[in-house]
């Protein structure tokens, strides 16, 4: 049986009848109520008029509503405090936090979604291909934790997966996983002086047409200065020599180049700056005897040899700045390993996002097809 509701005027009349001396059993039977209700009303509303009773009931209802709102607000505050220590900007992260809150707090899904700013569809969404995402994440960690690849950003990792490993996953999907795994590199670039747009460097049409050459400097752990000789092919950006020694004079330079020409062939042009080794009589006569044209950059314009300068920066960031070298042998071993990684594993934008070795093999295959 449904409980009967009594208005304020009815309660006031019942209390007046009870005060006039009517027995309680008779009064309860007359109005269809229990003795407990009568005693409750008498303790709360004794001596009050109907209007006062109505005001009191309204105040009690408002007080109950405010208590409920306060309790809900406290619950929301507790949930948000627990989530403050975690980054919840992405919808997937907010959905994860919403599921966690729903498990630990007695709150509706509608309120949870409002609290974390997501839709109920997002809350109920179950991601597909979890195994494939886990495979991509594992491969990304493997790539960036491989020796000489610690400084690879997203684009290099994706190009390696797409063009070297042959994976066909969409770049947006791989980037989402890359960011979620926290693999982003913090890169700070120096401010550069705004200059007029330089003339673009001419790209050779074939291998062994133009070689770029330059020196770098570094130190061993005991403080001794070391020189690094870098030689690269401008066509496919392939690194050819990474010679290490305390001193590399002009005679040692020409000897290294002769050894390179024995297995690779002689180039038409060698581009370099105006260092003392490159303007020496021995080096000039050596090039003249072999019919090699020497291109020199203008003083103060290293951008005229930009291909090898960019190569030097990559070597500095991925090798020289990341290792402490105890000896020449140690430095030469790591340089040789890095050179192989650079040529065979690291994609290059100028090559169409494939490695220098892949570009070389494609060029050789085309030339054999033509002939």
């Amino acid at each position: 049986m449904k409980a009967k509701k009594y208005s304020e005027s009815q309660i006031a009349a019942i209390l007046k009848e009870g005060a006039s001396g009517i027995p309680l059993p008779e009064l309860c039977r007359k109005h269809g109520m229990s003795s407990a209700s009568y005693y409750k009303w008498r303790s709360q509303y004794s001596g009050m008029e109907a209007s006062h009773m109505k005001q009191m009931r309204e105040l009690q209802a408002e007080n109950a509503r405010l208590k409920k709102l306060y309790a809900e607000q406290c619950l929301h505050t507790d949930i948000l405090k627990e989530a403050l220590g975690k980054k919840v900007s992405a919808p997937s992260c907010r959905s994860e936090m919403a599921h966690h809150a729903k498990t630990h707090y007695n709150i509706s899904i509608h309120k949870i979604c409002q609290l974390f700013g997501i839709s109920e569809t997002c809350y109920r969404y179950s991601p597909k291909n979890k195994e494939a995402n886990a495979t991509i994440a594992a491969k990304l960690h493997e790539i960036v934790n491989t020796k000489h690849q610690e400084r690879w950003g997203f684009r290099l990792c994706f190009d390696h997966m797409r063009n070297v490993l042959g994976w066909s996953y969409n770049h947006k999907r791989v980037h989402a996983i890359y960011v979620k795994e926290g693999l982003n590199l913090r890169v700070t670039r120096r401010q550069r002086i705004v200059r007029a747009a330089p003339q673009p460097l001419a790209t050779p049409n074939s291998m062994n047409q133009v070689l770029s050459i330059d020196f770098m400097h570094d130190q061993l752990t005991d403080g001794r200065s070391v020189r690094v000789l870098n030689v690269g092919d401008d066509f496919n950006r392939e690194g050819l020599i990474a010679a290490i020694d305390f001193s590399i004079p002009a005679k040692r330079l020409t000897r290294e180049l002769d050894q390179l020409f024995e297995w690779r062939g002689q180039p038409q042009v060698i581009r370099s700056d105006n260092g003392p080794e490159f303007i020496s009589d021995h080096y000039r006569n050596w090039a003249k005897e072999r019919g090699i044209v020497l291109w020199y950059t203008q003083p103060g314009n290293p951008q005229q040899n930009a291909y090898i300068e960019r190569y030097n920066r990559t070597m500095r960031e991925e090798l020289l700045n990341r290792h402490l070298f105890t000896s020449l042998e140690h430095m030469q071993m790591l340089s040789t390993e890095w050179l192989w990684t650079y040529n065979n594993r690291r994609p290059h934008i100028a090559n169409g996002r494939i490695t220098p070795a892949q570009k070389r093999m494609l060029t050789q295959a085309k030339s054999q097809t033509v002939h």
Side-chain angles (χ1 to χ4, degrees), residues 213 229 248-257 277-278 283:
I213 185 170
L229 171 64
I248 304 179
K251 291 184 179 181
R252 169 70 185 281
L253 168 63
T254 56
R255 188 168 68 250
E256 292 284 348
L257 292 174
E277 296 83 7
F278 303 131
Y283 179 73

Side-chain angles (χ1 to χ4, degrees), residues 61-168:
E62 181 67 17
N63 189 33
R65 188 182 70 84
L66 291 176
K67 282 184 177 180
K68 182 180 178 181
L69 289 176
Y70 179 72
E72 289 181 353
Q73 189 62 37
C74 289
L75 180 61
H76 295 172
T77 303
D78 292 340
I79 295 174
L80 291 177
K81 279 183 179 179
E82 186 176 349
L84 280 178
K86 301 179 181 179
K87 187 176 180 180
V88 292
S89 57
S92 59
C93 296
R94 295 201 298 269
S95 177
E96 183 180 346
M97 291 300 301
H99 280 87
H100 176 79
K102 176 62 180 174
T103 305
H104 292 79
Y105 298 94
N106 185 20
I107 187 171
S108 66
I109 294 178
H110 181 71
K111 287 290 185 182
I112 282 284
C113 293
Q114 284 185 335
L115 189 60
F116 286 95
I118 59 174
S119 64
E120 293 188 26
T121 303
C122 179
Y123 176 85
R124 293 187 171 89
Y125 174 73
S126 178
K128 302 175 183 178
N129 300 324
K130 285 186 177 181
E131 295 182 359
N133 291 346
T135 303
I136 295 173
K139 178 55 68 174
L140 287 172
H141 280 283
E142 179 186 337
I143 291 173
V144 300
N145 290 321
T146 301
K147 194 174 183 180
H148 304 308
Q149 296 176 187
E150 297 89 344
R151 290 291 301 172
W152 284 21
F154 162 71
R155 179 52 63 179
L156 274 177
C157 293
F158 176 75
D159 291 342
H160 178 78
M161 294 171 66
R162 172 66 64 87
N163 299 322
V164 179
L165 302 180
W167 291 21
S168 59

Side-chain angles (χ1 to χ4, degrees), residues 323-348:
H323 296 278
L324 295 175
F325 305 106
T326 57
S327 63
L328 285 178
E329 293 75 15
H330 180 218
M331 189 173 183
Q332 184 66 70
M333 179 190 68
L334 293 180
S335 299
T336 304
E337 291 178 357
W338 176 85
L339 186 62
W340 186 91
T341 301
Y342 180 88
N343 289 332
N344 294 276
R345 293 179 60 86
R346 191 183 193 277
H348 204 293

Side-chain angles (χ1 to χ4, degrees), residues 168-180:
S168 59
Y169 295 109
N170 184 275
H171 71 279
K172 291 178 285 187
R173 179 180 183 180
V174 178
H175 183 263
I177 298 173
Y178 179 85
V179 174
K180 183 179 180 181

